[in-house]
Amino acid sequence: MKLTIVGSGYVGLVAGTCFADSGNDVICVDVDASKIKALNGGKIPIYEPGLEEMVHKNVREKRLSFSTDLAAAVSQSEVVFIAVGTPEGETGDADLQHVLSAAEQIGKALKRYTVIVDKSTVPVGTADRVRETVSRVTDQPFDVVSNPEFLKEGAAIDDFLKPDRVVIGTSSDQARRIMGELYAPFVRTENPILFMDPRSAELTKYAANAMLATRISFMNDIAQLCERVGADVDAIRKGLGADKRIGYPFLFPGVGYGGSCFPKDVKALVATARDFGIEFDLLRAVERTNDQQKRLLLNKAARHYGDLSGKHFAVWGLAFKPRTDDMREAPSLVMIEGLLGKGATIAAHDPVATQVARRHFNDRVRYTETPYDALDKADGLFILTEWNEFRRPDFDRMKKLMKQPVVFDGRNIFDPFRMRERGFVYFGIGRP
Ligand SMILES: NC(=O)c1ccc[n+]([C@@H]2O[C@H](COP(=O)([O-])OP(=O)(O)OC[C@H]3O[C@@H](n4cnc5c(N)ncnc54)[C@H](O)[C@@H]3O)[C@@H](O)[C@H]2O)c1
């Protein structure tokens, strides 16, 4: 099939590449000319494991190309995906300006029946708004389908190629058949394609992210309680997860959820509910807990050291989670700004997010090549992202490098008892 993907970010680039890899002819379009230039020069503008090789392979085999010319791409395509950003608007709702601008440009470029797919995360009713926008500028036949994306950064290709489910919201038989054919290669192991109406598809995406965020905030509140009563949240996590009704995923407490999705999607769902006369108090509490959690280690450090001014800290992990360079809404942003604001200095290491971090902090932070370099003369270490390479360090070497052997483990990657045996002052989350 001939496809256009409008928006070549984390979702658009992965989706376009995976569709190309299953034999389709794909043009990825973006308004950002520098991004398209980089892609055409063989450079991948984001870090996502396995993506670079897959892009190169499909470009070489001439199934994947990149362009800023939306009209030319759309005019040759049977299916056009909108995968542009839907950032948080002023009142917490999703800002649809990029989606609707893309829809208008797509409408103007239509040359025949085309399926237009909302892949971006968009509020209930957006498929209708996209349909109205396109209708205003074309007489060509088209259908609008809602097909929210559930991939996780860091495992995006695997998630796209082997999705737990594909959600397709449409009331058109023709669009349903085309979308079913397009996704058939990815659902060969009984993982379902769930066809539904567009509004349900739109809401499914927000409900999924809001529920995952709720599990995280729930565990963070349990962790707080553990610290007060002298219980161990990790033991509780195991006790909870073993219950089949609950399960293990998303029960890890930490320094709060971040990323480009959970924070804005929880806010957008609260805003949608409010538009329809419902106060979603549960989700407001989820957000409140998360905001507090991002400052938790800062408060622990202030209690431990008293004055933070003049102290020097190491930070391991800048990305909002491992295996990505994405720092949107990362807990590290709040932590590092907090420490700098109190007069501390920082040396930070992240395996892939340093370049992105420079855009946030410039030279206010020193970035190091290795985790150990960051520890030199540090009064303490903050672990903010659970990269695998941080899990089994040389503890003796760490102690020798640090001025004070104090560890604030925001991801509970170390065992508190072993850390104290090794001579560290150790602070975890919700553990005695
Ligand atoms: N990142 C994720 O893990 C993830 C997962 C599932 C769903 N989503 C959703 O997918 C959508 C895209 O997210 P992302 O992380 O890929 O965003 P992103 O910011 O990485 O990429 C969006 C791209 O769209 C481009 N763009 C904006 N307006 C355009 C236009 N009119 N024409 C062409 N290109 C345009 C931007 O230049 C940018 O490159 C969002 O709605 C997000 O909520 C994201």
Side-chain angles (χ1 to χ4, degrees):
M1 248 182 246
K2 288 192 186 309
L3 314 177
T4 291
I5 317 284
V6 181
S8 304
Y10 286 87
V11 166
L13 190 56
V14 169
T17 306
C18 291
F19 280 133
D21 206 60
S22 60
N24 299 289
D25 286 327
V26 181
I27 307 175
C28 287
V29 170
D30 207 287
V31 280
D32 183 342
S34 64
K35 201 174 252 189
I36 294 301
K37 191 169 168 220
L39 284 163
N40 278 324
K43 293 204 179 64
I44 312 300
I46 54 169
Y47 175 79
E48 182 59 47
L51 183 61
E52 188 166 357
E53 299 84 327
M54 207 168 171
V55 167
H56 289 162
K57 170 177 167 239
N58 284 283
V59 167
R60 226 175 18 248
E61 292 168 9
K62 300 203 181 321
R63 286 188 298 266
L64 180 62
S65 61
F66 306 100
S67 170
T68 52
D69 190 346
L70 181 143
V74 167
S75 65
Q76 310 164 30
S77 295
E78 298 158 80
V79 183
V80 178
F81 285 83
I82 301 177
V84 300
T86 46
E88 186 182 326
E90 271 168 27
T91 52
D93 52 347
D95 180 351
L96 289 179
Q97 60 165 314
H98 304 301
V99 171
L100 296 177
S101 142
E104 186 177 335
Q105 293 171 66
I106 293 165
K108 286 179 179 162
L110 293 185
K111 289 277 185 290
R112 54 183 160 147
Y113 172 79
T114 308
V115 179
I116 300 170
V117 185
D118 287 340
K119 177 57 99 183
S120 300
T121 302
V122 288
V124 169
T126 303
D128 294 335
R129 291 183 67 185
V130 167
R131 186 175 308 108
E132 283 155 24
T133 305
V134 176
S135 306
R136 274 201 293 275
V137 294
T138 188
D139 294 327
Q140 295 293 333
F142 69 93
D143 278 308
V144 176
V145 169
S146 166
N147 168 221
E149 182 50 55
F150 296 94
L151 65 77
K152 304 180 288 297
E153 286 174 22
I157 291 182
D158 223 35
D159 285 348
F160 199 91
L161 296 177
K162 290 178 240 157
D164 289 344
R165 79 307 207 183
V166 175
V167 168
I168 294 175
T170 179
S171 47
S172 149
D173 286 341
Q174 192 174 1
R176 180 188 162 117
R177 186 181 50 71
I178 292 171
M179 294 301 287
E181 264 176 42
L182 188 56
Y183 273 105
F186 310 123
V187 291
R188 295 171 59 227
T189 49
E190 302 310 319
N191 37 346
I193 298 186
L194 304 172
F195 290 101
M196 55 182 81
D197 65 276
R199 284 181 175 242
S200 302
E202 288 164 342
L203 197 50
T204 299
K205 172 66 191 177
Y206 283 100
N209 276 359
M211 179 168 281
L212 294 171
T214 302
R215 280 173 75 105
I216 294 172
S217 277
F218 177 84
M219 285 310 285
N220 282 335
D221 276 346
I222 293 287
Q224 296 271 2
L225 189 55
C226 284
E227 291 188 11
R228 299 287 166 91
V229 303
D232 180 350
V233 74
D234 204 48
I236 293 168
R237 179 184 69 76
K238 289 174 186 151
L240 281 176
D243 186 326
K244 287 200 179 65
R245 295 167 303 176
I246 298 174
Y248 287 105
F250 277 82
L251 290 186
F252 289 95
V255 280
Y257 59 76
S260 66
C261 293
F262 288 4
K264 81 169 168 60
D265 292 349
V266 168
K267 283 197 179 64
L269 186 51
V270 170
T272 299
R274 189 172 302 136
D275 288 346
F276 287 86
I278 294 173
E279 270 311 316
F280 214 141
D281 291 332
L282 175 66
L283 289 183
R284 289 162 59 96
V286 165
E287 280 192 284
R288 215 166 38 242
T289 293
N290 198 55
D291 290 343
Q292 287 163 7
Q293 207 69 17
K294 286 186 174 178
R295 303 191 65 79
L296 185 75
L297 290 187
L298 204 56
N299 297 337
K300 286 188 190 221
R303 276 200 299 276
H304 177 69
Y305 298 99
D307 190 5
L308 294 176
S309 142
K311 294 274 181 300
H312 177 62
F313 294 110
V315 168
W316 283 5
L318 296 163
F320 86 95
K321 66 172 181 174
R323 294 177 295 281
T324 181
D325 60 351
D326 198 343
M327 283 185 64
R328 288 178 283 188
E329 304 277 337
S332 66
L333 296 172
V334 175
M335 271 300 308
I336 291 176
E337 286 299 353
L339 289 171
L340 291 173
K342 290 187 185 302
T345 54
I346 291 171
H349 173 78
D350 187 286
V352 301
T354 303
Q355 249 181 321
V356 179
R358 269 185 216 284
R359 281 183 233 142
H360 290 279
F361 303 116
N362 302 314
D363 294 334
R364 292 184 296 145
V365 168
R366 189 166 68 82
Y367 307 96
T368 65
E369 279 293 312
T370 73
Y372 296 106
D373 293 342
L375 295 174
D376 192 30
K377 299 190 187 56
D379 289 294
L381 162 66
F382 291 89
I383 299 171
L384 303 182
T385 316
E386 65 277 34
W387 282 94
N388 263 342
E389 42 268 71
F390 300 158
R391 287 179 189 274
R392 294 284 173 269
D394 179 339
F395 291 103
D396 290 334
R397 187 172 166 199
M398 286 171 70
K399 254 178 27 195
K400 277 195 199 113
L401 287 165
M402 295 175 79
K403 194 157 126 199
Q404 303 188 55
V406 185
V407 174
F408 297 89
D409 181 356
R411 299 293 180 178
N412 283 353
I413 63 175
F414 299 141
D415 182 299
F417 300 101
R418 291 283 295 127
M419 288 303 279
R420 279 167 207 140
E421 271 175 16
R422 290 180 182 117
F424 286 89
V425 178
Y426 176 84
F427 298 92
I429 308 279
R431 308 183 74 185

